[in-house]
Amino acid sequence: MACTDDFSCTDEKLSRNWRRAIRTCSTLLLSAGLAACSSLGSSGPSGSAVRSGNSMSVSTDIHVVELTDTVARQLIVAEQGRTFADALGEVPPAGTRIGRGDVLDFAIWESPPAALFGVLGGEAGLSKGPALAPRATSLLEQMVTEDGRVTLPFAGTLNVAGRTPQQVAREVEARLVGKAHEPQVIVRVTQPVTAMVTVVGDVAASTRLPLTAKGERLLDALASAGGVKQPVGKMTLRITRGAKVVSLPLDRVLLDPRQNITLQAGDIITALYQPYSFTALGAVRNNAEVPFEGTGLSLAQGLGRIGGLDDNRASIRGVFVFRFENPATLGPLLPTNARLTPDGRLPVIYRLNMSDPGSFFVAQGFALSDKDVVYVSNAPLTDIQKFIGILSQTSFSIVGVANQVR
Protein backbone atom coordinates (compact mmCIF):
# COMPACT_ATOMS: atom_id res chain seq x y z
CA MET A 1 0.00 0.00 0.00
CA ALA A 2 1.35 3.42 -0.96
CA CYS A 3 2.23 5.87 1.78
CA THR A 4 -0.06 8.91 2.21
CA ASP A 5 2.35 11.40 3.72
CA ASP A 6 6.04 12.18 4.00
CA PHE A 7 6.37 10.80 7.55
CA SER A 8 4.85 7.41 6.74
CA CYS A 9 6.95 7.11 3.57
CA THR A 10 10.09 7.89 5.51
CA ASP A 11 9.19 5.31 8.21
CA GLU A 12 8.53 2.61 5.62
CA LYS A 13 11.84 3.33 3.87
CA LEU A 14 13.72 3.06 7.20
CA SER A 15 12.02 -0.25 8.01
CA ARG A 16 12.94 -1.67 4.62
CA ASN A 17 16.53 -0.51 5.03
CA TRP A 18 16.81 -2.04 8.53
CA ARG A 19 15.37 -5.36 7.37
CA ARG A 20 17.79 -5.37 4.44
CA ALA A 21 20.69 -4.52 6.77
CA ILE A 22 19.68 -7.25 9.22
CA ARG A 23 19.49 -9.85 6.45
CA THR A 24 22.87 -8.74 5.11
CA CYS A 25 24.50 -8.83 8.56
CA SER A 26 23.03 -12.24 9.29
CA THR A 27 24.26 -13.63 5.98
CA LEU A 28 27.75 -12.23 6.46
CA LEU A 29 27.86 -13.45 10.07
CA LEU A 30 26.75 -16.95 9.07
CA SER A 31 29.29 -17.17 6.25
CA ALA A 32 32.13 -15.85 8.35
CA GLY A 33 31.21 -18.05 11.29
CA LEU A 34 31.01 -21.23 9.25
CA ALA A 35 34.36 -20.46 7.67
CA ALA A 36 35.95 -19.77 11.04
CA CYS A 37 34.52 -22.56 13.19
CA SER A 38 37.99 -23.93 13.66
CA SER A 39 39.18 -20.62 15.09
CA LEU A 40 36.75 -20.65 17.99
CA GLY A 41 38.20 -20.92 21.47
CA SER A 42 39.66 -24.36 22.24
CA SER A 43 41.89 -26.00 24.83
CA GLY A 44 44.10 -27.73 22.27
CA PRO A 45 44.30 -29.35 18.82
CA SER A 46 41.43 -31.32 17.37
CA GLY A 47 41.43 -35.09 17.40
CA SER A 48 42.10 -35.25 13.66
CA ALA A 49 45.07 -32.87 14.00
CA VAL A 50 46.58 -35.04 16.74
CA ARG A 51 46.04 -38.26 14.79
CA SER A 52 47.83 -36.81 11.77
CA GLY A 53 50.99 -36.35 13.85
CA ASN A 54 51.97 -33.25 11.88
CA SER A 55 53.70 -30.41 13.71
CA MET A 56 55.45 -27.21 12.69
CA SER A 57 57.10 -26.69 16.10
CA VAL A 58 58.86 -30.07 16.55
CA SER A 59 61.72 -30.94 14.21
CA THR A 60 61.61 -34.68 14.96
CA ASP A 61 59.06 -37.24 13.83
CA ILE A 62 55.91 -37.64 15.92
CA HIS A 63 54.75 -41.23 15.98
CA VAL A 64 51.04 -41.88 16.64
CA VAL A 65 50.30 -45.31 18.13
CA GLU A 66 46.84 -46.79 18.58
CA LEU A 67 46.69 -47.97 22.18
CA THR A 68 45.56 -51.59 21.98
CA ASP A 69 46.01 -54.64 24.17
CA THR A 70 49.03 -55.72 22.09
CA VAL A 71 50.74 -52.34 22.54
CA ALA A 72 50.01 -52.31 26.28
CA ARG A 73 51.57 -55.78 26.66
CA GLN A 74 54.65 -54.70 24.66
CA LEU A 75 55.17 -51.73 27.00
CA ILE A 76 54.77 -53.93 30.09
CA VAL A 77 57.44 -56.35 28.82
CA ALA A 78 59.81 -53.47 28.05
CA GLU A 79 59.28 -51.97 31.51
CA GLN A 80 60.10 -55.27 33.19
CA GLY A 81 63.50 -55.31 31.46
CA ARG A 82 64.45 -52.05 33.15
CA THR A 83 64.28 -53.33 36.74
CA PHE A 84 67.34 -53.95 38.90
CA ALA A 85 66.81 -57.71 38.88
CA ASP A 86 66.53 -57.90 35.09
CA ALA A 87 69.13 -55.31 34.08
CA LEU A 88 71.82 -56.03 36.71
CA GLY A 89 70.96 -59.51 37.99
CA GLU A 90 72.45 -61.35 40.93
CA VAL A 91 76.23 -61.46 41.40
CA PRO A 92 78.40 -63.43 43.84
CA PRO A 93 79.25 -61.62 47.08
CA ALA A 94 81.93 -59.06 46.29
CA GLY A 95 83.77 -59.56 49.59
CA THR A 96 84.94 -63.03 48.53
CA ARG A 97 87.34 -61.68 45.90
CA ILE A 98 90.63 -59.86 46.46
CA GLY A 99 91.12 -56.59 44.62
CA ARG A 100 94.00 -54.28 43.84
CA GLY A 101 94.79 -52.04 46.79
CA ASP A 102 93.29 -54.44 49.36
CA VAL A 103 95.37 -55.15 52.46
CA LEU A 104 95.89 -58.84 53.33
CA ASP A 105 96.96 -60.53 56.56
CA PHE A 106 98.79 -63.90 56.37
CA ALA A 107 98.85 -66.23 59.39
CA ILE A 108 101.11 -69.29 58.90
CA TRP A 109 100.94 -72.29 61.25
CA GLU A 110 103.70 -74.91 61.54
CA SER A 111 103.83 -78.20 63.38
CA PRO A 112 106.72 -78.67 65.83
CA PRO A 113 109.60 -78.30 65.51
CA ALA A 114 108.56 -74.98 63.91
CA ALA A 115 111.80 -73.64 62.58
CA LEU A 116 111.16 -71.62 59.45
CA PHE A 117 108.56 -69.06 60.48
CA GLY A 118 109.10 -69.65 64.20
CA VAL A 119 112.49 -67.94 63.84
CA LEU A 120 111.00 -65.19 61.74
CA GLY A 121 108.19 -64.65 64.16
CA GLY A 122 110.36 -64.70 67.33
CA GLU A 123 108.43 -63.33 70.23
CA ALA A 124 105.73 -62.22 67.79
CA GLY A 125 104.63 -65.83 67.43
CA LEU A 126 101.00 -66.22 68.29
CA SER A 127 101.59 -69.35 70.40
CA LYS A 128 102.99 -68.92 73.93
CA GLY A 129 102.54 -72.54 74.98
CA PRO A 130 104.99 -75.47 75.26
CA ALA A 131 107.84 -75.78 72.78
CA LEU A 132 106.22 -78.73 71.03
CA ALA A 133 102.88 -76.86 70.46
CA PRO A 134 102.13 -75.64 66.93
CA ARG A 135 103.20 -72.08 66.36
CA ALA A 136 101.44 -69.42 64.30
CA THR A 137 103.29 -66.51 62.78
CA SER A 138 101.53 -63.40 61.56
CA LEU A 139 103.51 -61.73 58.80
CA LEU A 140 103.42 -58.04 58.09
CA GLU A 141 100.24 -57.00 56.30
CA GLN A 142 100.62 -56.99 52.55
CA MET A 143 98.96 -54.50 50.17
CA VAL A 144 98.00 -55.85 46.76
CA THR A 145 99.93 -53.93 44.11
CA GLU A 146 98.52 -52.34 40.98
CA ASP A 147 99.38 -55.46 39.00
CA GLY A 148 97.47 -57.61 41.53
CA ARG A 149 100.43 -59.21 43.33
CA VAL A 150 101.90 -59.68 46.82
CA THR A 151 105.32 -61.02 47.91
CA LEU A 152 105.85 -63.39 50.87
CA PRO A 153 109.07 -64.74 52.39
CA PHE A 154 109.96 -68.20 51.02
CA ALA A 155 106.74 -68.24 48.98
CA GLY A 156 107.73 -65.60 46.45
CA THR A 157 105.42 -63.41 44.40
CA LEU A 158 101.79 -64.45 44.04
CA ASN A 159 99.02 -63.21 41.76
CA VAL A 160 96.09 -62.65 44.12
CA ALA A 161 93.75 -60.12 42.42
CA GLY A 162 90.39 -61.62 41.55
CA ARG A 163 90.97 -64.73 43.69
CA THR A 164 89.43 -65.75 47.01
CA PRO A 165 91.49 -65.72 50.23
CA GLN A 166 91.08 -69.52 50.42
CA GLN A 167 92.58 -69.98 46.95
CA VAL A 168 95.57 -67.81 47.87
CA ALA A 169 96.07 -69.71 51.16
CA ARG A 170 96.20 -73.05 49.33
CA GLU A 171 98.79 -71.71 46.88
CA VAL A 172 100.98 -70.41 49.74
CA GLU A 173 100.78 -73.80 51.47
CA ALA A 174 101.83 -75.53 48.25
CA ARG A 175 104.81 -73.23 47.82
CA LEU A 176 105.98 -73.81 51.41
CA VAL A 177 106.00 -77.59 51.15
CA GLY A 178 109.55 -78.76 51.80
CA LYS A 179 110.46 -75.43 53.40
CA ALA A 180 108.13 -75.26 56.40
CA HIS A 181 106.98 -78.21 58.51
CA GLU A 182 103.36 -79.08 57.63
CA PRO A 183 102.41 -75.45 56.96
CA GLN A 184 98.82 -74.27 57.21
CA VAL A 185 97.91 -70.77 56.04
CA ILE A 186 94.99 -68.44 56.78
CA VAL A 187 94.52 -65.32 54.62
CA ARG A 188 92.25 -62.46 55.66
CA VAL A 189 91.30 -59.23 53.88
CA THR A 190 91.75 -56.66 56.65
CA GLN A 191 91.16 -53.54 54.56
CA PRO A 192 88.85 -54.17 51.57
CA VAL A 193 89.67 -50.99 49.68
CA THR A 194 88.19 -52.09 46.36
CA ALA A 195 85.20 -54.07 47.63
CA MET A 196 83.15 -51.02 48.49
CA VAL A 197 80.01 -49.27 47.29
CA THR A 198 79.17 -45.58 47.47
CA VAL A 199 75.82 -44.24 48.69
CA VAL A 200 75.02 -40.59 47.88
CA GLY A 201 72.04 -38.36 47.24
CA ASP A 202 69.09 -37.51 49.45
CA VAL A 203 70.17 -39.75 52.33
CA ALA A 204 70.88 -38.95 55.96
CA ALA A 205 74.64 -39.31 55.48
CA SER A 206 76.56 -40.20 52.32
CA THR A 207 78.86 -43.12 52.96
CA ARG A 208 81.11 -45.83 51.54
CA LEU A 209 80.15 -49.33 52.58
CA PRO A 210 82.72 -52.17 52.56
CA LEU A 211 81.39 -55.41 51.11
CA THR A 212 81.94 -58.70 52.84
CA ALA A 213 81.43 -62.36 52.04
CA LYS A 214 77.93 -62.01 53.51
CA GLY A 215 76.86 -60.29 50.31
CA GLU A 216 75.44 -56.88 51.20
CA ARG A 217 72.27 -55.95 49.36
CA LEU A 218 70.80 -52.67 48.16
CA LEU A 219 68.72 -51.98 51.26
CA ASP A 220 71.72 -52.80 53.47
CA ALA A 221 73.65 -49.99 51.79
CA LEU A 222 70.70 -47.62 52.14
CA ALA A 223 70.42 -48.42 55.85
CA SER A 224 74.16 -47.82 56.34
CA ALA A 225 73.60 -44.28 55.01
CA GLY A 226 70.88 -43.65 57.58
CA GLY A 227 67.97 -44.08 55.18
CA VAL A 228 66.31 -41.50 52.94
CA LYS A 229 65.28 -38.03 54.06
CA GLN A 230 62.10 -37.74 51.98
CA PRO A 231 58.88 -39.81 51.92
CA VAL A 232 59.49 -43.30 50.54
CA GLY A 233 56.81 -42.92 47.87
CA LYS A 234 58.68 -39.97 46.31
CA MET A 235 62.17 -41.48 46.22
CA THR A 236 63.95 -43.09 43.29
CA LEU A 237 67.07 -45.25 43.58
CA ARG A 238 69.64 -45.17 40.79
CA ILE A 239 72.41 -47.78 40.55
CA THR A 240 75.44 -47.04 38.40
CA ARG A 241 77.46 -50.16 37.61
CA GLY A 242 80.14 -49.55 35.02
CA ALA A 243 78.39 -48.27 31.89
CA LYS A 244 74.95 -49.36 33.11
CA VAL A 245 72.62 -46.92 34.82
CA VAL A 246 69.26 -48.26 36.09
CA SER A 247 66.63 -46.38 38.10
CA LEU A 248 63.66 -47.71 40.05
CA PRO A 249 61.25 -46.21 42.60
CA LEU A 250 62.14 -47.11 46.18
CA ASP A 251 58.59 -48.36 46.69
CA ARG A 252 59.16 -51.00 44.01
CA VAL A 253 62.27 -52.24 45.78
CA LEU A 254 60.40 -52.52 49.08
CA LEU A 255 57.45 -54.36 47.55
CA ASP A 256 59.45 -56.70 45.29
CA PRO A 257 62.23 -58.62 47.12
CA ARG A 258 63.87 -59.50 43.77
CA GLN A 259 64.86 -55.85 43.33
CA ASN A 260 66.90 -55.89 46.56
CA ILE A 261 69.88 -57.16 44.59
CA THR A 262 73.34 -58.13 45.83
CA LEU A 263 75.77 -55.27 45.34
CA GLN A 264 79.00 -55.43 43.39
CA ALA A 265 82.26 -53.65 44.13
CA GLY A 266 82.26 -50.16 42.63
CA ASP A 267 78.47 -49.74 42.57
CA ILE A 268 77.24 -46.18 43.07
CA ILE A 269 73.80 -45.84 44.66
CA THR A 270 72.08 -42.47 44.31
CA ALA A 271 68.89 -41.67 46.21
CA LEU A 272 66.86 -39.07 44.29
CA TYR A 273 63.90 -37.07 45.51
CA GLN A 274 61.67 -37.40 42.46
CA PRO A 275 57.94 -36.82 42.89
CA TYR A 276 56.14 -38.30 39.88
CA SER A 277 53.36 -36.40 38.11
CA PHE A 278 51.40 -36.17 34.86
CA THR A 279 49.57 -33.21 33.34
CA ALA A 280 45.90 -33.39 32.32
CA LEU A 281 44.68 -30.97 29.62
CA GLY A 282 41.75 -30.57 27.27
CA ALA A 283 38.16 -31.71 27.68
CA VAL A 284 38.51 -33.16 31.17
CA ARG A 285 36.85 -32.08 34.38
CA ASN A 286 40.05 -30.88 35.99
CA ASN A 287 43.03 -29.49 34.06
CA ALA A 288 45.96 -29.87 36.46
CA GLU A 289 49.33 -31.40 37.20
CA VAL A 290 48.55 -34.58 39.13
CA PRO A 291 51.16 -36.20 41.42
CA PHE A 292 51.29 -39.97 41.79
CA GLU A 293 53.23 -42.61 43.70
CA GLY A 294 56.45 -44.23 42.60
CA THR A 295 54.72 -47.62 42.49
CA GLY A 296 53.00 -46.44 39.32
CA LEU A 297 49.63 -45.26 38.05
CA SER A 298 47.52 -46.65 35.23
CA LEU A 299 45.79 -44.47 32.65
CA ALA A 300 42.42 -45.53 34.05
CA GLN A 301 43.47 -44.42 37.54
CA GLY A 302 44.84 -41.16 36.17
CA LEU A 303 41.57 -40.33 34.41
CA GLY A 304 39.74 -41.12 37.62
CA ARG A 305 41.90 -38.70 39.63
CA ILE A 306 41.00 -35.79 37.34
CA GLY A 307 37.28 -36.54 37.48
CA GLY A 308 37.08 -38.26 34.11
CA LEU A 309 36.10 -36.75 30.77
CA ASP A 310 33.86 -33.69 30.40
CA ASP A 311 30.58 -35.12 29.05
CA ASN A 312 29.66 -31.81 27.38
CA ARG A 313 32.86 -31.43 25.36
CA ALA A 314 35.01 -34.55 25.27
CA SER A 315 35.47 -36.85 22.31
CA ILE A 316 35.55 -40.43 23.59
CA ARG A 317 37.64 -41.34 20.55
CA GLY A 318 40.18 -38.64 21.31
CA VAL A 319 42.04 -39.60 24.51
CA PHE A 320 45.77 -39.09 23.91
CA VAL A 321 48.95 -39.59 25.96
CA PHE A 322 51.94 -37.50 24.85
CA ARG A 323 55.32 -38.95 25.83
CA PHE A 324 59.01 -38.80 24.93
CA GLU A 325 59.50 -42.55 24.63
CA ASN A 326 62.62 -44.69 24.81
CA PRO A 327 62.97 -46.21 21.31
CA ALA A 328 63.90 -49.59 22.83
CA THR A 329 60.48 -49.69 24.52
CA LEU A 330 58.61 -49.64 21.22
CA GLY A 331 60.45 -52.64 19.80
CA PRO A 332 58.76 -53.65 16.52
CA LEU A 333 56.48 -50.61 16.79
CA LEU A 334 59.45 -48.29 16.20
CA PRO A 335 59.22 -46.76 12.70
CA THR A 336 62.21 -47.21 10.44
CA ASN A 337 64.56 -44.25 10.08
CA ALA A 338 62.77 -42.37 12.84
CA ARG A 339 64.34 -39.04 13.75
CA LEU A 340 64.99 -38.81 17.46
CA THR A 341 65.45 -35.92 19.86
CA PRO A 342 69.02 -34.92 20.84
CA ASP A 343 68.76 -37.09 23.97
CA GLY A 344 67.74 -40.15 21.93
CA ARG A 345 63.99 -40.08 22.58
CA LEU A 346 61.05 -40.36 20.19
CA PRO A 347 57.94 -38.16 20.56
CA VAL A 348 55.05 -40.61 20.72
CA ILE A 349 51.29 -40.03 20.97
CA TYR A 350 49.28 -42.96 22.27
CA ARG A 351 45.60 -42.80 21.27
CA LEU A 352 42.85 -44.58 23.16
CA ASN A 353 39.39 -45.05 21.64
CA MET A 354 37.10 -45.18 24.66
CA SER A 355 34.01 -45.92 22.57
CA ASP A 356 35.23 -49.53 22.64
CA PRO A 357 34.31 -51.22 25.98
CA GLY A 358 37.56 -53.20 25.87
CA SER A 359 39.53 -49.95 26.02
CA PHE A 360 38.84 -49.76 29.76
CA PHE A 361 40.84 -52.96 30.25
CA VAL A 362 43.64 -51.54 28.09
CA ALA A 363 43.62 -48.34 30.17
CA GLN A 364 44.11 -50.43 33.31
CA GLY A 365 47.21 -52.09 31.85
CA PHE A 366 48.80 -48.93 30.41
CA ALA A 367 51.09 -47.30 32.98
CA LEU A 368 51.59 -43.55 32.98
CA SER A 369 55.16 -42.27 33.11
CA ASP A 370 56.57 -39.23 34.85
CA LYS A 371 55.93 -36.00 32.87
CA ASP A 372 53.30 -37.58 30.61
CA VAL A 373 50.63 -35.26 29.17
CA VAL A 374 47.11 -36.69 29.02
CA TYR A 375 45.03 -34.70 26.53
CA VAL A 376 41.36 -35.17 25.59
CA SER A 377 40.19 -33.43 22.41
CA ASN A 378 36.83 -31.78 21.90
CA ALA A 379 34.03 -33.68 20.17
CA PRO A 380 33.58 -32.69 16.49
CA LEU A 381 30.20 -31.00 17.15
CA THR A 382 31.51 -28.92 20.04
CA ASP A 383 32.74 -26.09 17.80
CA ILE A 384 29.44 -26.08 15.89
CA GLN A 385 27.52 -25.88 19.17
CA LYS A 386 29.73 -22.98 20.25
CA PHE A 387 29.08 -21.19 16.97
CA ILE A 388 25.31 -21.77 17.13
CA GLY A 389 25.32 -20.34 20.64
CA ILE A 390 27.23 -17.25 19.49
CA LEU A 391 24.98 -16.86 16.42
CA SER A 392 21.84 -17.13 18.53
CA GLN A 393 23.02 -14.48 20.95
CA THR A 394 24.05 -12.18 18.08
CA SER A 395 20.75 -12.67 16.24
CA PHE A 396 18.72 -11.86 19.34
CA SER A 397 20.82 -8.74 19.84
CA ILE A 398 20.26 -7.56 16.25
CA VAL A 399 16.51 -8.23 16.45
CA GLY A 400 16.37 -6.41 19.73
CA VAL A 401 18.09 -3.37 18.21
CA ALA A 402 15.75 -3.47 15.22
CA ASN A 403 12.69 -3.58 17.45
CA GLN A 404 13.95 -0.61 19.40
CA VAL A 405 14.52 1.36 16.18
CA ARG A 406 11.04 0.60 14.85
Side-chain angles (χ1 to χ4, degrees):
M1 188 173 85
C3 57
T4 57
D5 53 52
D6 292 340
F7 291 102
S8 60
C9 288
T10 301
D11 184 62
E12 183 176 349
K13 289 180 180 179
L14 289 172
S15 298
R16 286 199 301 269
N17 290 338
W18 270 106
R19 288 194 294 271
R20 192 179 302 114
I22 291 172
R23 286 196 298 269
T24 302
C25 289
S26 299
T27 302
L28 292 175
L29 183 62
L30 180 62
S31 301
L34 289 175
C37 269
S38 60
S39 64
L40 293 174
S42 179
S43 57
S46 65
S48 59
V50 176
R51 287 192 294 271
S52 69
N54 295 325
S55 173
M56 299 180 62
S57 58
V58 178
S59 59
T60 55
D61 296 331
I62 299 178
H63 190 43
V64 181
V65 178
E66 293 293 327
L67 190 51
T68 61
D69 180 67
T70 302
V71 173
R73 290 175 183 272
Q74 167 69 24
L75 297 178
I76 291 174
V77 172
E79 179 65 25
Q80 289 175 344
R82 290 199 292 265
T83 64
F84 292 151
D86 296 322
L88 301 178
E90 282 293 333
V91 295
T96 60
R97 300 287 174 175
I98 299 171
R100 294 169 176 81
D102 287 350
V103 177
L104 307 181
D105 173 71
F106 292 83
I108 302 176
W109 295 75
E110 299 177 87
S111 296
L116 186 62
F117 287 96
V119 174
L120 291 176
E123 293 298 321
L126 300 183
S127 175
K128 302 296 184 181
L132 295 181
R135 295 179 60 87
T137 301
S138 180
L139 303 181
L140 293 176
E141 291 183 336
Q142 305 288 316
M143 177 180 288
V144 182
T145 60
E146 292 183 359
D147 57 0
R149 299 181 179 185
V150 294
T151 302
L152 296 179
F154 303 105
T157 300
L158 302 92
N159 291 316
V160 298
R163 305 172 66 185
T164 66
Q166 294 76 15
Q167 291 172 336
V168 175
R170 286 196 295 269
E171 182 177 352
V172 174
E173 290 174 357
R175 291 194 178 194
L176 293 178
V177 170
K179 301 176 182 179
H181 188 222
E182 297 181 357
Q184 296 186 27
V185 180
I186 297 177
V187 179
R188 294 186 306 120
V189 181
T190 58
Q191 297 181 35
V193 177
T194 55
M196 302 188 76
V197 297
T198 304
V199 186
V200 295
D202 212 352
V203 293
S206 298
T207 186
R208 296 192 72 201
L209 174 68
L211 300 179
T212 66
K214 167 183 175 290
E216 282 71 17
R217 294 183 174 271
L218 176 58
L219 293 181
D220 295 329
L222 201 61
S224 70
V228 296
K229 295 192 293 186
Q230 303 294 340
V232 171
K234 296 183 179 181
M235 295 298 299
T236 297
L237 297 182
R238 176 185 298 162
I239 299 180
T240 304
R241 178 176 294 175
K244 290 185 178 180
V245 180
V246 187
S247 299
L248 205 64
L250 177 55
D251 265 350
R252 291 278 301 276
V253 179
L254 296 174
L255 294 175
D256 184 359
R258 292 191 318 115
Q259 308 310 325
N260 188 25
I261 61 172
T262 302
L263 298 174
Q264 193 175 42
D267 284 351
I268 300 175
I269 303 163
T270 307
L272 302 171
Y273 174 61
Q274 186 176 11
Y276 292 86
S277 67
F278 73 93
T279 303
L281 299 174
V284 294
R285 295 189 182 276
N286 183 25
N287 282 222
E289 181 182 4
V290 183
F292 63 93
E293 302 77 19
T295 49
L297 188 76
S298 69
L299 177 56
Q301 291 173 311
L303 291 174
R305 292 194 180 186
I306 58 177
L309 278 59
D310 187 340
D311 293 342
N312 297 322
R313 297 192 297 136
S315 169
I316 58 175
R317 294 180 177 85
V319 178
F320 303 95
V321 179
F322 290 71
R323 176 183 299 173
F324 284 101
E325 190 66 271
N326 183 352
T329 300
L330 295 176
L333 301 175
L334 181 67
T336 56
N337 301 323
R339 291 182 298 171
L340 307 178
T341 60
D343 61 348
R345 300 281 175 167
L346 177 68
V348 175
I349 304 174
Y350 295 101
R351 172 181 175 262
L352 182 66
N353 180 6
M354 296 192 69
S355 64
D356 180 2
S359 65
F360 287 86
F361 294 103
V362 176
Q364 292 182 61
F366 180 82
L368 291 175
S369 297
D370 187 35
K371 303 301 185 294
D372 275 355
V373 175
V374 177
Y375 172 72
V376 179
S377 63
N378 288 339
L381 294 179
T382 300
D383 289 341
I384 297 178
Q385 291 174 346
K386 287 182 181 179
F387 169 69
I388 292 174
I390 295 173
L391 182 62
S392 299
Q393 294 177 2
T394 306
S395 299
F396 283 125
S397 299
I398 294 174
V399 172
V401 171
N403 290 333
Q404 290 295 328
V405 173
R406 285 192 297 174

